[in-house]
């Protein structure tokens, strides 16, 4: 079975970030451009775009998540993970890419996830 979610350790536990059609629709409504395709083409994302992606993708499995709770999780994540906001952007880019609804070639996004997992393993080995 093809994995269509990205694991992220945030808020004190391992969570799954996943994009469904509903999550993509909600994300587009929150984006300044209102277009997920243009977001994926951008080299740099705003903090607003990163948080919107994380919020919509986590809500798939955690319906009761609030923005206040997520803000706290993100602040803690960025304090613990080097270049935390960049790391979150890469995870969200990968989650969008592997969901199978936005692009047809998952390869580059699987490579992003593998690199992030290698980085985590190196950090744990320190």
């Amino acid at each position: 079975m093809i994995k269509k979610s990205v694991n992220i350790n945030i808020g004190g536990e391992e969570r799954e970030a996943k994009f469904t059609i509903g999550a993509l629709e909600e994300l587009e409504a929150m984006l300044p451009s209102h277009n997920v395709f243009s977001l994926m083409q951008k080299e740099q994302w705003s903090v607003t775009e990163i948080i919107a992606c994380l919020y919509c993708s986590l809500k798939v499995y955690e319906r009761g998540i609030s923005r206040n709770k997520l803000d706290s999780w993100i602040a803690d994540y960025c304090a613990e993970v080097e270049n935390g906001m960049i790391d979150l952007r890469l995870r969200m880019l990968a989650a969008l890419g592997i969901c199978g609804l936005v692009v047809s070639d998952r390869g580059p996004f699987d490579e992003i996830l593998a690199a992030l997992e290698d980085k985590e393993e190196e950090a744990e080995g320190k």
Side-chain angles (χ1 to χ4, degrees):
M1 183 171 150
I2 296 176
K3 182 172 171 48
K4 293 191 175 199
S5 62
V6 172
N7 292 338
I8 180 169
N9 192 329
I10 193 166
E13 63 184 77
E14 193 81 10
R15 301 177 192 282
E16 285 187 73
K18 180 178 182 176
F19 284 98
T20 60
I21 290 175
L24 288 172
E25 287 179 319
E26 185 173 1
L27 174 59
E28 280 196 331
M30 295 172 81
L31 293 173
S33 69
H34 298 292
N35 188 324
V36 72
F37 298 101
S38 65
L39 176 67
M40 291 191 69
Q41 294 175 353
K42 289 175 64 174
E43 193 130 335
Q44 293 186 0
W45 294 5
S46 70
V47 171
T48 299
E49 292 165 332
I50 296 167
I51 293 172
C53 283
L54 188 58
Y55 179 68
C56 293
S57 66
L58 289 177
K59 276 182 57 177
V60 169
Y61 292 114
E62 301 194 35
R63 292 249 176 243
I65 190 172
S66 70
R67 282 295 301 265
N68 285 339
K69 183 180 287 188
L70 182 63
D71 289 350
S72 173
W73 291 354
I74 291 170
D76 291 345
Y77 189 86
C78 289
E80 296 167 6
V81 175
E82 184 178 352
N83 297 314
M85 200 57 77
I86 294 169
D87 184 272
L88 288 173
R89 178 204 175 264
L90 291 172
R91 289 179 191 280
M92 293 302 95
L93 180 62
L96 285 165
I98 67 170
C99 77
L101 299 169
V102 182
V103 296
S104 59
D105 181 11
R106 291 174 39 109
F109 305 100
D110 287 331
E111 290 173 16
I112 290 170
L113 285 177
L116 288 169
E117 289 169 4
D118 289 345
K119 179 183 155 194
E120 284 177 349
E121 289 174 6
E122 286 176 19
E124 289 171 3
K126 286 185 179 178

